[in-house]
Amino acid sequence: MRTMSRRYLMCRPTYFAVDYTINPWMDPSTPVDAELAIRQWTELADIYRDLGHTVELIEPLPGLPDMVFAANGATVIDGTVLGAQFKYPERAAEGPAYLEWFARAGFATHQAKFVNEGEGDLLLTERFLLAGTGFRTDPGAHGEAQELFGRPVIGLQLVDPSFYHLDTALCVLGGPAEVAYLPEAFSAGSRRVLARLFPDAITVDEPDARVFGLNAVSDGQRVVLPVQAVGLMSELERRGYRPIGVDMSELRKAGGGPKCCTLEVRV
């Protein structure tokens, strides 16, 4: 397997809270331990650094408790940035904040014409850009991404609201399996597409998916994923990957995991 040093953008959960409900995981009546969320996020960032990856930080903004989920902030391929346009007004200000960070850093930035939630629904493989829809990202964003990045886009229909973003139902692994996914999260046609494109993929059981096991980050060999996803960790190891468990349980109260907190910066 080929591994490489990755560059990640992250946002410290300084203002993390669950103050509203925009996905089935969020319950404002459930207490949130903000300090625990910060410790879990810090452990994730430290794991990346220990693996040799670069972690850059965007300043968190008050009033944006979900800004910690950096993966939703943009999609970055070959130094070009497609900004995010969020479906819900509670997160709307995150898109301009992330786009401004990339503009200041010298990237070519493009404002989105259609609703898209960054790498939540746009996941790059070696051959394709996999694009989720059904709950957040508008199908028009799929064509917009294809025109901007010049990568073939494969649209995938999500059908279970618990897996409202593609990155909660599918992980790009690289290596021999290429991807891991939860079949039940997709429409029948999308399941057939995935089986055709990725015949050696890892298919995951729902208990592992419900602890956000698929909201994982892979560099082609090392896979950082929630430690609670024991079945997936075992299968990854059997397939020759090196799983690295991390506890993101506090951030999961807002519907996020390792990948949600991690935006890959591809230059």
Side-chain angles (χ1 to χ4, degrees):
M1 299 182 186
R2 180 171 61 91
T3 63
M4 58 180 290
S5 176
R6 305 292 174 101
R7 182 178 175 187
Y8 297 136
L9 180 62
M10 300 181 69
C11 182
R12 186 178 186 271
T14 303
Y15 303 106
F16 178 70
V18 178
D19 294 332
Y20 46 76
T21 301
I22 59 172
N23 68 58
W25 303 91
M26 303 179 84
D27 180 0
S29 68
T30 299
V32 170
D33 186 336
E35 290 304 314
L36 176 58
I38 290 171
R39 291 197 299 272
Q40 291 179 346
W41 176 90
T42 300
E43 181 185 2
L44 177 65
D46 288 344
I47 287 172
Y48 291 148
R49 295 185 182 102
D50 290 344
L51 292 175
H53 303 312
T54 299
V55 175
E56 298 181 60
L57 301 176
I58 183 173
E59 189 69 21
L61 298 178
L64 297 177
D66 284 341
M67 194 171 171
V68 60
F69 300 129
N72 304 147
T75 306
V76 189
I77 301 174
D78 299 329
T80 297
V81 181
L82 175 62
Q85 183 183 142
F86 287 86
K87 177 177 179 178
Y88 292 105
E90 290 89 345
R91 300 193 67 183
E94 295 178 40
Y98 276 94
L99 205 61
E100 181 181 347
W101 187 94
F102 281 106
R104 290 199 309 269
F107 287 80
T109 59
H110 300 263
Q111 290 189 348
K113 298 176 183 177
F114 298 91
V115 170
N116 87 80
E117 300 201 343
E119 285 196 330
D121 276 326
L122 298 172
L123 296 178
L124 186 65
T125 72
E126 288 194 9
R127 296 176 291 161
F128 313 110
L129 185 60
L130 303 179
T133 191
F135 298 103
R136 299 291 183 89
T137 294
D138 190 294
H142 298 182
E144 183 177 12
Q146 181 167 280
E147 286 300 309
L148 180 62
F149 296 123
R151 304 288 186 108
V153 171
I154 306 296
L156 299 169
Q157 184 76 28
L158 296 163
V159 296
D160 185 335
S162 293
F163 305 102
Y164 58 95
H165 274 152
L166 183 61
D167 71 352
T168 67
L170 183 147
C171 172
V172 176
L173 296 170
E178 294 194 76
V179 303
Y181 66 96
L182 173 68
E184 293 80 4
F186 297 92
S187 67
S190 293
R191 290 198 299 270
R192 293 196 297 271
V193 167
L194 287 167
R196 185 181 296 272
L197 294 179
F198 306 109
D200 297 319
I202 296 173
T203 55
V204 174
D205 293 334
E206 190 162 337
D208 278 345
R210 286 197 170 274
V211 292
F212 274 41
L214 288 164
N215 196 246
V217 178
S218 174
D219 63 11
Q221 184 175 24
R222 289 87 54 94
V223 184
V224 182
L225 74 163
V227 69
Q228 295 87 356
V230 292
L232 178 54
M233 292 184 75
S234 177
E235 180 62 17
L236 286 166
E237 194 165 30
R238 191 184 74 81
R239 295 281 196 109
Y241 296 91
R242 178 188 162 198
I244 300 169
V246 61
D247 185 5
M248 304 293 287
S249 54
E250 202 64 22
L251 289 155
R252 193 167 69 242
K253 292 178 179 178
K259 175 57 191 168
C260 288
C261 294
T262 311
L263 174 58
E264 185 165 352
V265 180
R266 305 176 186 88
V267 296

